[in-house]
Amino acid sequence: MPVSRSYDPLPSYPPAAGEVAVGWSVPAAALPPGPLVLAVEGPAALDWAALADGLAEAVRATGREVSLLDVRAHYAADAGERIAARPVPDGDPFFTPLSTARVADLFDAIPRPGRPAGDGVSVVYGPGAALCAPDVLWYADLPKRYAEAAVAKGELPVGVNLGRPAAPGGLVRLFYTDWPVQDRHRDALAGRVERWIDVQDPARPASLDGAALRATLARLARGPVRTRPYFNSTPWGGQWAASELGFTPQAGNTALGYELIAPEAGVLVGEKGGAQVEIPFQLLCVEHPQEMLGEEVHRRFGTSFPIRFDYLDTMGGGNLSLHLHPREQYMREVFGWPYTQHETYYVTAGEDGSRVLLGLTDEADPEAMRRQVEDSIAHGTPMPVEDHVQSHPATVGQLFMIPAGTPHASGAGNLVLEVSATPYLYSLRLYDWLRKDAAGASRPLPYAHGFANLDTARRGADVTKDLVQQPRTLRSGEGWREEVLGALPEMFYAVHRLVVAQGREAPDDTAGRFHILNVAQGEGAVVETRDGRTHTMAFAETLTVPASVGAYRVRAVGGDEVRIVKALVVEP
């Protein structure tokens, strides 16, 4: 029998070929002989000056001459404006669509570094370097959580946002302009990158050569894989992940647990406890879309991985804001996303008396709601939320369905596993309990967007019937069963639960569509694939089973029944 283990905050996988190098000396020594142009591409947020200095020193140590060209000095004067996402309507202070610009739009003319003499190396670096016709292309990366945390704390210097060398860093710019522009550029380059460089430790960058990178991506796309989790703090956050999983809160709490949010998630590659590089999870979908997603899911969603798993921790914290998410047509026409932000809440743990707010009451009056929201903003008047929105017991094991347009909030004292569609940047907040942030400011409330999307048709008893569904057995065997916890015609994914008795195993099959698994109760499980791979899951961990896996088995670990939340696309 496998040995159970505790939650692993740093899951990692060995490279399928080669090994992870540390420092600049190995990459520098591996450059081909003769005069060459080396491009080092990457996001705006990393320290490019330090990177250029460290690389140049290492190349010179091999006896070669080096010249440096910073492509950022060649951006057009209005580069930042050219690529900026445009609010709809114009001047919206809260949201923009995702920018559709290209990195090439930063330039009037793309610079062409001269070919060096002799055995020299001309290094061109910065966002857009790959466009400069290099002989060798490297990609330097810094996981997005670094930029997000630093901008939020005001720690990043001017110039951190793409194409804005004299402006201070901003989160809206980061989310809606920089990341979509840079991600598309990175994804298009992935197949020809000759070295992937992780600069989380700028003094000791870790790297993997291109052949090893692609071999590793190919292997990971054909077996169960877990991304590196992390937790962010917010004013409503709780303490569960700190006390139960051992995470150290960044700002006093562990509110948002990013188990698998594809645009920000990374996979650690390297030996446990040794040198590692973090590779964006999205590259698995870009390089191997059919293996990861499955043919039908890939046909609908392209290379966008459409389901996310994250924790909302209010254990010892406060209520989430009352909010909702854009309905399908609004999401497409106003925010530019091809699919919308349907959500579900699965209650993993809770304090006595904790609640979930969900759906309109029979008596809810949207016009009165709007007046009360405006009054709370203008005068600090408390809003009688439960006059309009239903309050439900947050029973451990209950799933709450939250289709777009439905007002909702997790109450204080909950640990909610949020099983949702991947879009995550458009929370249309209506009310935030008059809460202030650390600077004493009220949280912005984009309530006009919220009321434009409020679903007023489903209310009263229909909320309980449709959105607070009871488990129904889909299939079963000796010592196990699979239950449907929630499915709705308007939602493209469903949430199931595998219940496996002590020492038993349940058979499953991706049948051409990926599965996501989370151990919601019990010590853990072992996932075994038909090609002999095994992957252990501890309580609270999340695992992606790519579509290419096909038949697999889930075996309970430990002395108790194990319950595993499972999500899958059901309507392509």
Side-chain angles (χ1 to χ4, degrees):
M1 291 291 292
V3 178
S4 62
R5 58 170 176 79
S6 59
Y7 185 93
D8 184 0
L10 296 171
S12 62
Y13 303 85
E19 61 183 24
V20 177
V22 176
W24 289 114
S25 60
V26 170
L31 286 169
L36 61 87
V37 175
L38 166 64
V40 186
E41 180 66 66
L46 58 81
D47 187 340
W48 283 105
L51 181 149
D53 289 345
L55 173 58
E57 181 180 355
V59 174
R60 290 186 182 112
T62 68
R64 304 174 76 167
E65 294 295 322
V66 178
S67 62
L68 297 173
L69 188 156
D70 183 348
V71 294
R72 297 172 300 171
H74 295 264
Y75 290 166
D78 62 344
E81 289 305 309
R82 290 184 183 186
I83 66 167
R86 304 297 179 190
V88 180
D90 189 49
D92 184 344
F94 303 107
F95 303 110
T96 69
L98 302 185
S99 174
T100 59
R102 304 168 303 152
V103 167
D105 295 332
L106 294 164
F107 302 92
D108 284 329
I110 294 169
R112 291 289 185 262
R115 181 157 297 279
D119 203 32
V121 178
S122 178
V123 178
V124 53
Y125 62 92
L131 303 175
C132 299
D135 301 302
V136 177
L137 173 62
W138 293 354
Y139 196 95
D141 195 41
L142 183 68
K144 291 176 177 175
R145 62 182 176 275
Y146 284 87
E148 184 177 351
V151 170
K153 294 177 183 177
E155 294 177 354
L156 282 180
V158 296
V160 68
N161 289 130
L162 188 62
R164 302 182 77 190
L171 282 177
V172 170
R173 179 78 182 200
L174 199 66
F175 292 153
Y176 299 103
T177 295
D178 294 4
W179 287 356
V181 172
Q182 291 173 159
D183 285 359
R184 281 193 303 275
H185 186 60
R186 175 204 64 202
D187 294 352
L189 299 174
R192 60 187 182 94
V193 167
E194 296 180 54
R195 183 164 291 271
W196 184 273
I197 306 165
D198 184 323
V199 291
Q200 293 182 57
D201 182 350
R204 288 171 53 83
S207 65
L208 193 65
D209 73 54
L213 169 68
R214 282 177 281 280
T216 301
L217 290 172
R219 178 168 174 76
L220 290 173
R222 291 170 174 82
V225 61
R226 183 166 168 248
T227 57
R228 182 199 190 280
Y230 69 100
F231 281 79
N232 275 344
S233 298
T234 72
W236 48 259
Q239 300 296 322
W240 185 87
S243 62
E244 299 297 323
L245 302 184
F247 280 90
T248 301
Q250 296 179 4
N253 63 65
T254 48
L256 291 164
Y258 284 24
E259 279 287 306
L260 173 61
I261 299 184
E264 296 193 27
V267 180
L268 293 174
V269 173
E271 296 304 323
K272 196 74 173 175
Q276 297 177 336
V277 296
E278 187 168 336
I279 299 172
F281 178 82
Q282 181 62 24
L283 288 187
L284 290 169
C285 302
V286 168
E287 292 293 287
H288 302 281
Q290 294 205 23
E291 290 87 347
M292 285 297 297
L293 299 165
E295 183 178 353
E296 290 181 333
V297 179
H298 173 43
R299 188 180 301 121
R300 172 171 177 183
F301 294 99
T303 59
S304 176
F305 193 84
I307 300 178
R308 60 184 166 93
F309 273 43
D310 56 278
Y311 285 117
L312 305 176
D313 176 8
T314 62
M315 299 276 277
N319 298 331
L320 268 70
S321 66
L322 180 67
H323 64 288
L324 52 87
H325 300 291
R327 301 172 82 172
E328 192 85 37
Q329 182 176 353
Y330 198 94
M331 185 66 125
R332 287 196 306 269
E333 294 179 358
V334 177
F335 298 135
W337 267 80
Y339 61 103
T340 199
Q341 195 167 336
H342 298 302
E343 296 187 339
T344 70
Y345 284 176
Y346 181 90
V347 183
T348 298
E351 299 170 356
D352 290 343
S354 60
R355 313 288 292 182
V356 167
L357 296 169
L358 176 70
L360 295 176
T361 63
D362 272 324
E363 299 77 20
D365 180 346
E367 291 305 315
M369 282 181 69
R370 187 179 187 116
R371 289 194 299 271
Q372 290 166 0
V373 165
E374 292 172 341
D375 197 41
S376 74
I377 295 169
H379 307 294
T381 306
M383 178 183 175
V385 173
E386 292 186 27
D387 286 357
H388 307 285
V389 180
Q390 298 184 38
S391 175
H392 307 270
T395 306
V396 172
Q398 179 64 56
L399 183 80
F400 296 91
M401 307 290 288
I402 313 170
T406 306
H408 63 284
S410 177
N414 290 328
L415 178 74
V416 165
L417 175 67
E418 189 174 45
V419 181
S420 304
T422 290
Y424 66 111
L425 296 176
Y426 299 100
S427 291
L428 311 180
R429 291 182 294 274
L430 304 176
Y431 182 65
D432 198 35
W433 315 97
L434 307 182
R435 190 159 35 209
K436 305 292 185 183
D437 63 18
S442 297
R443 197 176 191 186
L445 298 177
Y447 69 93
H449 283 300
F451 282 103
N453 284 274
L454 180 65
D455 180 0
T456 60
R458 184 183 276 128
R459 56 173 69 212
D462 285 342
V463 170
T464 303
K465 177 175 65 73
D466 295 344
L467 307 187
V468 192
Q469 300 177 14
Q470 297 308 303
R472 52 194 185 276
T473 299
L474 178 67
R475 60 190 184 100
S476 62
E478 188 175 352
W480 66 273
R481 68 183 183 275
E482 180 171 354
E483 304 168 327
V484 178
L485 297 183
L488 285 172
E490 63 259 49
M491 294 175 63
F492 67 81
Y493 66 95
V495 181
H496 295 187
R497 182 168 60 195
L498 288 170
V499 182
V500 187
Q502 176 188 357
R504 297 291 187 175
E505 64 180 36
D508 211 335
D509 196 316
T510 61
R513 300 183 185 189
F514 70 87
H515 293 172
I516 310 177
L517 310 178
N518 173 276
V519 180
Q521 180 180 313
E523 290 186 39
V526 173
V527 174
E528 299 178 342
T529 67
R530 61 186 173 187
D531 66 357
R533 298 193 205 188
T534 63
H535 201 301
T536 303
M537 299 177 66
F539 171 65
E541 291 183 349
T542 300
L543 188 70
T544 300
V545 183
S548 61
V549 166
Y552 67 97
R553 297 179 296 172
V554 179
R555 186 190 316 141
V557 171
D560 299 308
E561 176 183 85
V562 173
R563 298 192 168 204
I564 296 173
V565 173
K566 166 184 165 182
L568 69 162
V569 174
V570 293
E571 180 56 56

